[in-house]
Amino acid sequence: MKCSYLGMKQTAKIESFAKNDTSQFREMTPVKISNMALIVHKYGGTSMGSTERIRNVAKRVAKWARAGHQMVVVPSAMSGETNRLLGLAKELAPAKPTDAYSRELDMLASTGEQVSVGLLAIALQAEGVESVSYAGWQVPIKTDNSFTKARIESIDDKRIRGDLNAGRVVIVTGFQGVDEASNITTLGRGGSDTSAVAVAAALKAAECLIYTDVDGVYTTDPRVVPEARRLHTVSFEEMLEMASMGSKVLQIRSVEFAGKYKVPLRVLSSFTPWDIDIHEEATSGTLITFEEDENMEQAIVSGIAFNRDEAKVSVIGVPDKPGIAYQILGTVADANIEVDVIIQNLSKDGKTDFSFTVHRNDFAKTVDLLKTAVLPNLGSAEIVGDTKICKVSIVGIGMRSHVGVASKMFRSLSEEGINIQMISTSEIKTSVVIDEKYMELAVRALHKAFDLDQTGA
Ligand code: ASP
Ligand code: MG
């Protein structure tokens, strides 16, 4: 099975099950949910937003349990709760990047999920379903000690399996774990997705279903293109590209995790009636797959992603000689600033220009850094910045085996009179940087050019 990690930022480290043999997960391919499967459900904050909604979650989970499945449920905190808790901390003291402060943030923020699991277990018991809830440390879900952005190292499946075998539904807190010194840790905002996928991997679940407030992964954001279609399946690599470029359906780390451990993952709506037919429910939403299914009609481009998170920095008139790129980009990298698209112009009279993009939050810092640390060594070079840019990308594993895809993209943009400032490509995507004011126009034009509004892909 081929599984590359194209487009992942190089600094992205994938969480690993240090203590488990990872090969045990490698054989897994998406399976049909048969009777008596082990299933993980994940419910987001909106789905857990009130006692009434929690009751609905309980009824839905009870339906799955009664159908004969072994059920593990990983909920988020009730919507708004994590923000509320973190807001309380800020009222008392401004955020500090110290371990001591971050440790307490995790102690605090993790309580949101503890409330959720307790309430859901009570709701399930009220439905007549035996159930038990656990905090991360009780499982335990072991993590490293990077407070507020911890990575999962191992999950002990013993306690959960014991309960499942005794016929109980097991509810495990999302978002949190415990480090070696028994400190509570959290996995970063949106981390419950990663918790659910990790629990599913550890238990070798047949499928991990992520119930959320959207009903799947779309060809692009339906708010920009009303004709956007829900994809029935999307490959893990495409999902990774789309998740990293602004399609905020899943925390990107959960997608990396699912890819690494081959966890069959489905994104689906939690707003369907809880008593919808279970087979209909089990095939709804978007399934994230790992192999190109030869029988499946494969679209060349599966989706259009876009974001406004980046800014462009140009260093104009630098000497065209060895070591310059390193001086500029090395300095930026040493400051822990991630660089995305890079171009260098043809040189003229021994001088050249460099442009690259960084996250908008890092823009001011980058310009400052270059002005103080790099520019003084570069003679008459100057720095020009532009924050009014956006990145638009076409994504599709079908691009690997088709030529002319990028040129079709460029033609379509030129027909709209949109000037391309930068281009970057990988095996499964082509991205362009353009003026921010043309973002929606570009996305609509590309969605149409690649027939994404047609059904059947
Ligand atoms: N409750 C956490 C958050 O709001 C984790 C999650 O919802 O996934 O970020
Ligand atoms: Mg979420």
Side-chain angles (χ1 to χ4, degrees):
M1 184 178 309
K2 199 169 157 214
C3 219
S4 65
Y5 287 84
L6 280 169
M8 262 177 48
K9 301 262 162 71
Q10 281 183 339
T11 50
K13 193 182 99 193
I14 294 187
E15 291 157 274
S16 64
F17 281 175
K19 296 183 187 101
N20 288 2
D21 171 17
T22 59
S23 65
Q24 65 190 320
F25 301 121
R26 237 165 250 154
E27 300 299 311
M28 291 184 61
T29 47
V31 291
K32 287 222 172 64
I33 298 176
S34 53
N35 255 357
M36 288 304 291
L38 198 164
I39 304 287
V40 175
H41 278 190
K42 186 262 169 180
Y43 291 92
T46 318
S47 322
M48 297 292 293
S50 63
T51 47
E52 197 194 323
R53 287 190 178 166
I54 292 174
R55 186 175 292 124
N56 262 301
V57 169
K59 286 183 189 295
R60 191 185 296 276
V61 172
K63 174 183 75 180
W64 281 73
R66 292 198 178 103
H69 300 305
Q70 294 194 310
M71 298 301 300
V72 179
V73 186
V74 180
S76 292
M78 296 170 79
S79 58
E81 182 61 7
T82 311
N83 285 344
R84 188 185 73 85
L85 293 166
L86 295 174
L88 292 176
K90 264 205 193 140
E91 277 176 30
L92 292 171
K96 277 195 251 69
T98 60
D99 261 11
Y101 186 91
S102 301
R103 180 191 183 279
E104 304 313 327
L105 284 183
D106 282 0
M107 179 63 105
L108 171 72
S110 62
T111 61
E113 271 68 13
Q114 193 171 325
V115 169
S116 285
V117 294
L119 289 174
L120 184 53
I122 288 168
L124 270 160
Q125 290 169 8
E127 293 299 320
V129 173
E130 265 195 72
S131 70
V132 59
S133 70
Y134 293 115
W137 62 269
Q138 292 174 304
V139 174
I141 296 177
K142 291 199 176 146
T143 71
D144 64 16
N145 62 358
S146 323
F147 298 115
T148 73
K149 48 177 186 301
R151 289 181 179 272
I152 296 175
E153 288 176 344
S154 68
I155 296 181
D156 191 339
D157 64 350
K158 237 184 273 120
R159 200 162 176 180
I160 299 179
R161 274 200 203 282
D163 288 309
L164 290 174
N165 292 338
R168 286 187 275 272
V169 169
V170 182
I171 306 163
V172 180
T173 49
F175 186 47
Q176 57 166 273
V178 63
D179 76 4
E180 220 172 38
S182 302
N183 298 302
I184 291 176
T185 56
T186 71
L187 311 181
R189 299 306 305 271
S192 297
D193 293 337
T194 302
S195 304
V197 173
V199 165
L203 294 167
K204 296 184 222 160
E207 201 166 290
C208 178
L209 290 86
I210 310 270
Y211 288 86
T212 178
D213 47 8
V214 296
D215 66 356
V217 179
Y218 278 71
T219 48
T220 196
D221 188 336
R223 282 168 304 186
V224 173
V225 184
E227 297 79 25
R229 274 183 312 107
R230 180 169 55 81
L231 295 161
H232 296 294
T233 62
V234 64
S235 77
F236 146 74
E237 291 162 282
E238 290 166 329
M239 189 61 212
L240 203 53
E241 291 289 359
M242 303 215 229
S244 66
M245 291 185 301
S247 143
K248 308 233 157 54
V249 187
L250 287 172
Q251 194 199 35
I252 183 160
R253 276 165 66 192
S254 74
V255 183
E256 293 166 13
F257 211 109
K260 181 160 184 192
Y261 294 106
K262 306 289 171 291
V263 179
L265 199 59
R266 183 180 293 277
V267 177
L268 69 170
S269 171
S270 64
F271 294 138
T272 55
W274 69 266
D275 55 355
I276 178 182
D277 174 76
I278 193 166
H279 297 288
E280 188 182 326
E281 185 174 329
T283 51
S284 67
T286 302
L287 180 68
I288 295 149
T289 61
F290 299 96
E291 287 157 297
E292 290 174 55
D293 183 343
E294 275 154 31
N295 302 321
M296 211 165 62
E297 204 184 310
Q298 180 60 58
I300 296 170
V301 169
S302 300
I304 315 289
F306 54 89
N307 77 47
R308 266 186 256 246
D309 301 338
E310 293 181 26
K312 185 169 80 167
V313 180
S314 303
V315 191
I316 314 276
V318 299
D320 189 13
K321 61 177 196 206
I324 294 292
Y326 174 65
Q327 255 194 61
I328 297 172
L329 297 169
T331 307
V332 173
D334 287 346
N336 246 325
I337 297 170
E338 273 186 51
V339 169
D340 187 19
V341 186
I342 305 171
I343 55 166
Q344 179 183 352
N345 283 348
L346 270 184
S347 88
K348 212 174 130 199
D349 307 326
K351 302 256 181 188
T352 184
D353 307 331
F354 259 112
S355 293
F356 57 92
T357 63
V358 294
H359 197 280
R360 273 190 204 181
N361 297 342
D362 290 327
F363 175 70
K365 190 173 158 195
T366 308
V367 171
D368 259 12
L369 186 70
L370 292 176
K371 280 196 172 143
T372 51
V374 180
L375 224 48
N377 313 324
L378 292 182
S380 59
E382 54 172 328
I383 293 177
V384 182
D386 186 357
T387 54
K388 297 207 170 344
I389 57 153
C390 68
K391 189 169 82 172
V392 177
S393 310
I394 56 175
V395 178
I397 47 177
M399 286 166 70
R400 277 193 193 125
S401 48
H402 285 82
V403 292
V405 182
S407 72
K408 184 168 177 180
M409 177 187 202
F410 304 149
R411 174 164 25 111
S412 157
L413 294 173
S414 83
E415 279 165 9
E416 300 296 335
I418 299 172
N419 185 38
I420 299 170
Q421 303 178 16
M422 304 167 95
I423 299 171
S424 84
T425 64
S426 81
E427 239 191 323
I428 66 162
K429 75 160 185 191
T430 300
S431 308
V432 296
V433 171
I434 59 174
D435 188 323
E436 177 184 77
K437 69 175 180 242
Y438 297 125
M439 187 177 85
E440 302 200 343
L441 178 64
V443 172
R444 276 190 218 109
L446 294 171
H447 198 267
K448 194 151 193 217
F450 288 99
D451 296 327
L452 292 176
D453 37 10
Q454 311 292 307
T455 48

